[in-house]
Amino acid sequence: MNGFTTKAIHGVREPDTHHALRAPVYDSVTFEFESSEDIENAFRGKKPSHTYSRITNPTVTDFEKRLTLLSGGLGTIAVSSGMAAISDTILSIAGAGDNIVISPFLFGNTFSLLASTLKRWGLEIRFADFRLPETLEQVIDGRTRAVYLETITNPQIAVFDIPALSRIADRHGVLVILDNTVMTPYAFDARPAGVHIEVLSATKYISGGGTAVGGAVIDHGNYDWGKNPYFKDDVKAYGKHCFLRRLRQEVYRNTGACMSPHAAYMLSLGLETLALRIERSFDNALGMAEYLLERKDHVTSVNYAGLTYSGYHEIAERLFGKRYGGILTFTLESKEKCFRFMDALRIVRRATNINDNKTLILHPASTIYCEFPPEEQAKLGVTDTMLRLSAGIEDKEDLIADIEQAFVALK
Ligand SMILES: *Cc1c(COP(=O)(O)O)cnc(C)c1O
């Protein structure tokens, strides 16, 4: 069984008393035991069993096993959201006085988590220009606990040389965390690129239908945890499992950011069709980008790594094969034109999500970046003439026809 979709559908099979073909949803908070000895053994970790759904739940475990299989990781912990995956990971590996290296191009809530929330707890963030991997060398020091990357940034649509950045981090013994939400383990295999911890918002492509908020932390089992002072003792006791154990038995348990069984069910369903939907979405993104590029009468620029002139085209081809992601941005002459264009769309929906089955459009400057003053927005590549399109899985011809009729309405 080698294919991604075969594994997604058949790779994890738990025996079921009723021979149900689909794993049921265990909407139960707690689990009972035959004897007090059994419950003691469960709590002492001598006999792995479900005790309480904030720690483990059979439906959530099923989702975790599927993701572990599909990513080739050592293990997965499913959490309540993408942000929970990111915060639980950072809380597990760093403390006051430590620093994390990031690019200014970063998902807004992640930036806010690191630069505001965790700053109050003594965490420092350091910036490197990930377009120039060597700039990492200048900021890493003995208190650097991680280099934090995203596979394709949004809305800059930048692709960094992840293997080159990982090699530099590795030379310094620094953990590499990758937010692989926009590619998922299907479209980007993180481990060969030197990534140690992969975080995902399952809310996006994995859900597909926009049915549930969820996230996951995948440990690729390739980091020497002895290099992180907080794991020195744990490494001796638990070896390569020490990070996953720390999460499960301490941080995930204590922050309470658990995935609900119902969300796990919806997201497992999503995993089964993930590969098909991603191919379609990427193809739609490329088709829309190419169409927009031709509409020079309205469109002043198009930003998508799939376009050969993009500064990220070459690196995207090297890292992802002939795949460039499902998100693109383009600019019109004015904010007013952007708004009128958006309002004229009939199939493409105005909503703030990405990687949904539905094609979505957003004006980043007035929405997800509205808290940033214009000069800060400019530094992040966000302007008020820019629109972001997230390609869904509709028929490409219908999407292009919708865009075309919206341009007609602009006249
Ligand atoms: C949406 C998103 C997140 C946050 O995920 P939630 O499930 O909404 O918490 C994190 N990173 C990226 C790249 C995202 O697109």
Side-chain angles (χ1 to χ4, degrees):
M1 205 191 292
N2 287 321
F4 187 93
T5 298
T6 314
K7 284 197 272 189
I9 295 175
H10 299 290
V12 176
R13 295 189 198 188
E14 295 294 333
D16 176 74
T17 34
H18 301 289
H19 306 284
L21 193 53
R22 176 161 294 289
V25 185
Y26 288 93
D27 255 328
S28 178
V29 169
T30 195
F31 303 85
E32 67 172 342
F33 290 81
E34 290 293 334
S35 69
S36 18
E37 198 185 330
D38 283 352
I39 196 165
E40 178 178 11
N41 285 336
F43 271 75
R44 290 193 187 277
K46 285 187 185 149
K47 192 165 168 269
S49 33
H50 302 288
T51 56
Y52 188 72
S53 283
R54 174 157 45 73
I55 304 162
T56 62
N57 170 281
T59 317
V60 180
T61 303
D62 177 79
F63 176 66
E64 291 172 339
K65 283 185 176 168
R66 286 168 191 251
L67 262 181
T68 299
L69 180 71
L70 295 172
S71 65
L74 175 69
T76 302
I77 294 189
V79 291
S80 58
S81 68
M83 286 317 301
I86 298 163
S87 47
D88 277 6
T89 298
I90 303 292
L91 289 172
S92 301
I93 58 127
D98 293 334
N99 65 75
I100 307 278
V101 182
I102 56 170
S103 152
F105 296 177
L106 192 68
F107 180 67
N109 296 167
T110 305
F111 182 79
S112 170
L113 169 76
L114 299 172
S116 303
T117 314
L118 293 179
K119 185 177 175 219
R120 291 197 292 275
W121 294 88
L123 186 75
E124 183 196 342
I125 49 170
R126 292 193 177 175
F127 293 104
D129 185 346
F130 288 172
R131 289 170 295 191
L132 308 166
E134 55 292 356
T135 61
L136 249 189
E137 296 276 5
Q138 294 145 26
V139 292
I140 288 179
D141 67 9
R143 296 301 298 267
T144 303
R145 295 288 165 249
V147 171
Y148 186 97
L149 309 162
E150 291 174 356
T151 326
I152 304 180
T153 76
N154 153 30
Q156 301 84 13
I157 325 291
V159 185
F160 304 125
D161 191 340
I162 299 168
L165 290 158
S166 304
R167 276 193 298 275
I168 295 170
D170 226 37
R171 261 209 304 281
H172 295 270
V174 171
L175 181 77
V176 178
I177 303 170
L178 175 75
D179 180 338
N180 196 23
T181 298
V182 298
M183 294 306 266
T184 80
Y186 170 69
F188 182 62
D189 195 359
R191 193 191 154 135
V195 171
H196 304 118
I197 300 291
E198 179 174 352
V199 292
L200 296 166
S201 166
T203 318
K204 315 293 170 55
Y205 271 132
I206 292 174
S207 163
T211 53
V213 175
V217 182
I218 300 167
D219 181 351
H220 283 285
N222 52 350
Y223 184 65
D224 174 4
W225 291 101
K227 301 230 158 86
N228 182 312
Y230 307 113
F231 285 92
K232 282 236 151 65
D233 295 334
D234 282 21
V235 171
K236 284 181 208 131
Y238 308 106
K240 63 180 180 178
H241 294 278
C242 65
F243 170 77
L244 288 167
R245 192 187 177 278
R246 162 77 53 85
L247 259 187
R248 182 79 73 195
Q249 301 297 339
E250 184 198 318
V251 179
Y252 170 76
R253 187 196 67 189
N254 294 352
T255 57
C258 57
M259 177 177 277
S260 80
H262 187 71
Y265 177 79
M266 298 309 287
L267 297 169
S268 285
L269 206 54
L271 277 179
E272 296 185 358
T273 55
L274 178 66
L276 285 74
R277 291 182 288 102
I278 283 196
E279 292 293 352
R280 175 76 163 227
S281 161
F282 286 8
D283 186 55
N284 282 344
L286 182 60
M288 289 192 285
E290 285 171 344
Y291 173 77
L292 288 164
L293 197 59
E294 282 168 19
R295 291 303 304 260
K296 299 214 163 38
D297 50 336
H298 290 290
V299 178
T300 44
S301 68
V302 186
N303 185 12
Y304 183 61
L307 299 171
T308 49
Y309 69 77
S310 160
Y312 300 110
H313 186 69
E314 208 179 300
I315 178 80
E317 291 224 317
R318 178 151 62 81
L319 294 188
F320 317 134
K322 298 256 175 232
R323 297 194 181 100
Y324 312 98
I327 305 168
L328 61 109
T329 65
F330 61 102
T331 54
L332 302 179
E333 279 148 22
S334 64
K335 175 182 174 185
E336 180 263 331
K337 256 199 163 176
C338 288
F339 274 33
R340 277 206 293 138
F341 173 80
M342 276 181 76
D343 292 345
L345 291 164
R346 292 173 189 161
I347 293 172
V348 178
R349 312 285 272 262
R350 294 166 287 272
T352 179
N353 190 16
I354 52 167
N355 306 339
D356 192 284
N357 290 346
K358 297 181 177 76
T359 298
L360 304 175
I361 193 161
L362 195 72
H363 181 257
S366 62
T367 55
I368 49 178
Y369 283 88
C370 71
E371 288 170 21
F372 291 76
E375 60 279 9
E376 287 294 317
Q377 289 189 357
K379 275 192 225 157
L380 299 173
V382 177
T383 63
D384 72 354
T385 57
M386 183 177 97
L387 290 169
R388 179 186 79 186
L389 259 180
S390 169
I393 61 168
E394 303 93 332
D395 296 279
K396 184 162 57 189
E397 298 69 28
D398 290 329
L399 294 173
I400 290 174
D402 191 33
I403 294 171
E404 189 158 29
Q405 67 78 29
F407 283 138
V408 172
L410 278 189
K411 290 247 153 84

